[in-house]
Amino acid sequence: MTKRTSAKYKIDRRMGENIWGRAKSPVNRREYGPGQHGQRRKQKLSDFGTQLRAKQKLKGYYGDLTEKQFRRIYGEAERVRGDTGENLIGLLERRLDAVVYRAKFVPTIFAARQFVNHGHIEVNGKRVNIASYRVKEGDVVSIRERSRQLAIVMEAVALAERDVPDYLEVDHNKMTATFVRTPMLGDVPYAVVMEPNLVVEYYAKN
């Protein structure tokens, strides 16, 4: 098992939720956390604990971003006019690895980051290998022609456990995805409830 796969399953069990909605999630078999104390009775979380958990869940969902990366994105969301929580979701969904994942070019967000880093993705016809690259409305994200028959791509396209959201226009024959618009929280097909308002409260107090 790779380090990334291990991390993915650990996040699920730590949260006690199948946050990506995957059939293979260990939470489907046992809902308690990892480690020898994982089966202890769950204590009611304080307000701080609830806010921290909301932040960890959202941060973990996008490939377990580092705190520095996530805090920087939050800072940008805070500076933009409008609801900070909604802005945060929009910025996270504009990451190139998130778009590759949403387009079902790869099966997981962890695979999306690796896929981008290895140079398999183009934006508007130019190769981009930075997972955090920010896609703009109207940008066309595509898989390089020589990478389109990779097994990981074929597996992802065939996945029935998730659909492509309507803020992307995807052609799996041409392996292209057009980023139509920046989504709001209600547009994003999360498998579990995400609470960016609690993330805002967390950073406001810390």
Side-chain angles (χ1 to χ4, degrees), residues 188-206:
V188 183
Y190 293 118
V192 295
V193 175
M194 292 294 181
E195 299 167 296
N197 58 307
L198 294 180
V199 179
V200 175
E201 290 176 17
Y202 172 85
Y203 282 120
K205 294 177 181 177
N206 298 281

Side-chain angles (χ1 to χ4, degrees), residues 14-107:
R14 190 170 70 223
M15 295 296 115
E17 294 181 82
N18 182 359
I19 68 173
W20 293 281
R22 297 217 74 197
K24 294 179 181 178
S25 172
V27 176
N28 296 339
R29 298 189 299 276
R30 48 185 183 270
E31 294 187 358
Y32 52 85
Q36 67 184 65
H37 304 300
Q39 295 187 62
R40 283 184 175 173
R41 185 165 34 184
K42 292 180 182 176
Q43 295 179 334
K44 187 178 178 184
L45 291 173
S46 63
D47 287 347
F48 171 80
T50 303
Q51 293 157 3
L52 177 62
R53 189 180 185 84
K55 185 202 72 159
Q56 289 174 326
K57 186 161 65 170
L58 190 61
K59 186 161 70 83
Y61 184 91
Y62 288 93
D64 210 16
L65 301 174
T66 66
E67 178 59 27
K68 186 177 180 181
Q69 288 174 314
F70 193 75
R71 185 68 181 80
R72 186 172 63 244
I73 296 168
Y74 175 81
E76 291 183 58
E78 202 175 27
R79 288 192 293 273
V80 178
R81 184 179 298 176
D83 183 277
T84 301
E86 292 282 2
N87 293 341
L88 176 61
I89 297 298
L91 289 172
L92 289 167
E93 285 293 310
R94 284 174 57 194
R95 285 176 57 95
L96 182 56
D97 55 357
V99 173
V100 169
Y101 171 64
R102 291 285 179 225
K104 287 181 69 174
F105 290 158
V106 290

Side-chain angles (χ1 to χ4, degrees), residues 59-162:
K59 186 161 70 83
Y61 184 91
Y62 288 93
D64 210 16
L65 301 174
T66 66
E67 178 59 27
K68 186 177 180 181
Q69 288 174 314
F70 193 75
R71 185 68 181 80
R72 186 172 63 244
I73 296 168
Y74 175 81
E76 291 183 58
E78 202 175 27
R79 288 192 293 273
V80 178
R81 184 179 298 176
D83 183 277
T84 301
E86 292 282 2
N87 293 341
L88 176 61
I89 297 298
L91 289 172
L92 289 167
E93 285 293 310
R94 284 174 57 194
R95 285 176 57 95
L96 182 56
D97 55 357
V99 173
V100 169
Y101 171 64
R102 291 285 179 225
K104 287 181 69 174
F105 290 158
V106 290
T108 69
I109 189 70
F110 295 88
R113 184 181 298 174
Q114 200 167 33
F115 203 67
V116 174
N117 289 343
H118 288 182
H120 297 296
I121 292 293
E122 295 178 345
V123 179
N124 300 327
K126 294 182 179 179
R127 188 167 66 160
V128 178
N129 61 2
I130 301 168
S132 61
Y133 176 90
R134 190 161 295 158
V135 176
K136 299 188 295 292
E137 293 180 3
D139 279 355
V140 178
V141 176
S142 58
I143 298 179
R144 295 183 75 193
E145 195 158 346
R146 69 180 189 182
S147 306
R148 293 178 185 178
Q149 298 305 313
L150 291 173
I152 192 172
V153 177
M154 298 296 101
E155 176 199 342
V157 170
L159 275 177
E161 61 191 23
R162 61 190 175 92

